[in-house]
Amino acid sequence: GQQVMQIPQYQHVQEGEDFTTYCNSSTTLSNIQWYKQRPGGHPVFLIQLVKSGEVKKQKRLTFQFGEAKKNSSLHITATQTTDVGTYFCAGEVAGANSKLTFGKGITLSVRP
Amino acid sequence: NAGVMQNPRHLVRRRGQEARLRCSPMKGHSHVYWYRQLPEEGLKFMVYLQKENIIDESGMPKERFSAEFPKEGPSILRIQQVVRGDSAAYFCASSPYAAGEQYFGPGTRLTVT
């Protein structure tokens, strides 16, 4: 079946450092979405990417969809302690009943 | 516009009992998804419903689990004869259209003793 992979599962950074994480799919995606879940909370939608090579920015967060629509990246500039949480990517395969397949997520911790 | 609501937030059941989890989607959303999450794990898709119809239940165990989204009222995820392995957080999400962004509820944390 379709897989969405996020490796590694954990990353620790010093506050102020940049952070990049990647999401890879075994199949071509119609769109990819990113969510953030704070400890003890629920996933919150961040962004959706649809077009090949698309880049979107939200303040210090930059999201990119790969040219082949099989991978995506999330880059955080100058991390802050408020960036702590687990970031999930979720991909939709065309014709898959609009079901999203979530990656296992990457848990980011930020040392002040 | 109220967000996605789930109740109860915490549910404790003894082995063999039934668990009923409710989800009220955001106003205007007719697409509902249920996910299960174990501690420090990702979200595992269970079922996708669109008003009165099950669109995809490929992630739901064939036995003991069922889901519905009636014309009126909340979506229900029902787990019969719960076992300890059913202990997890169950999240519901709603979307205004197919493949759209999903808005998650606060989850129901089920503990089976």
Side-chain angles (χ1 to χ4, degrees):
Chain A
Q2 190 233 351
Q3 288 188 332
V4 173
M5 291 161 286
Q6 293 183 259
I7 297 170
Q9 206 169 340
Y10 302 94
Q11 194 152 346
H12 313 277
V13 299
Q14 185 72 40
E15 187 173 22
E17 287 182 346
D18 289 356
F19 162 75
T20 303
T21 188
Y22 300 91
C23 173
N24 297 293
S25 170
S26 54
T27 53
T28 303
L29 302 171
S30 298
N31 74 79
I32 196 156
Q33 301 177 17
W34 285 87
Y35 293 78
K36 177 182 178 181
Q37 184 177 23
R38 292 183 185 274
H42 60 276
V44 174
F45 172 79
L46 294 177
I47 206 91
Q48 177 174 282
L49 303 167
V50 179
K51 298 176 186 173
S52 168
E54 187 172 13
V55 177
K56 286 188 177 180
K57 292 190 175 186
Q58 285 182 353
K59 298 182 180 178
R60 293 179 296 103
L61 276 61
T62 302
F63 303 84
Q64 184 164 8
F65 203 3
E67 294 291 340
K69 300 183 77 173
K70 293 178 77 170
N71 53 61
S72 179
S73 65
L74 158 61
H75 178 83
I76 304 178
T77 304
T79 54
Q80 299 177 359
T81 54
T82 52
D83 295 325
V84 163
T86 301
Y87 293 84
F88 294 99
C89 66
E92 186 220 354
V93 176
N97 281 328
S98 304
K99 180 181 74 180
L100 284 180
T101 299
F102 279 79
K104 288 196 171 182
I106 179 166
T107 299
L108 175 66
S109 65
V110 179
R111 293 187 298 271
Chain B
N1 191 2
V4 177
M5 298 174 70
Q6 288 187 251
N7 67 80
R9 297 287 303 275
H10 300 273
L11 182 61
V12 179
R13 283 287 177 264
R14 292 200 178 114
R15 277 179 301 171
Q17 290 184 320
E18 178 180 288
R20 278 189 179 234
L21 288 60
R22 294 174 193 79
C23 168
S24 296
M26 286 181 72
K27 188 176 180 182
H29 288 193
S30 60
H31 302 262
V32 166
Y33 306 81
W34 285 92
Y35 297 89
R36 172 187 153 116
Q37 187 177 42
L38 291 169
E40 302 199 6
E41 294 229 352
L43 291 157
K44 183 177 181 295
F45 167 82
M46 296 183 74
V47 61
Y48 163 35
L49 308 107
Q50 186 186 0
K51 273 302 181 183
E52 300 184 88
N53 295 308
I54 295 175
I55 307 300
D56 186 335
E57 57 181 347
S58 58
M60 202 153 68
K62 296 203 183 319
E63 295 179 355
R64 302 189 299 109
F65 286 72
S66 62
E68 62 177 17
F69 188 15
K71 190 175 179 182
E72 302 290 338
S75 175
I76 306 283
L77 178 67
R78 183 181 175 206
I79 311 173
Q80 295 177 290
Q81 299 175 323
V82 295
V83 300
R84 287 222 173 101
D86 296 332
S87 296
Y90 292 84
F91 289 98
C92 158
S94 74
S95 180
Y97 51 90
E101 66 269 24
Q102 296 186 12
Y103 296 85
F104 282 78
T108 293
R109 276 137 182 98
L110 172 66
T111 303
V112 179
T113 61

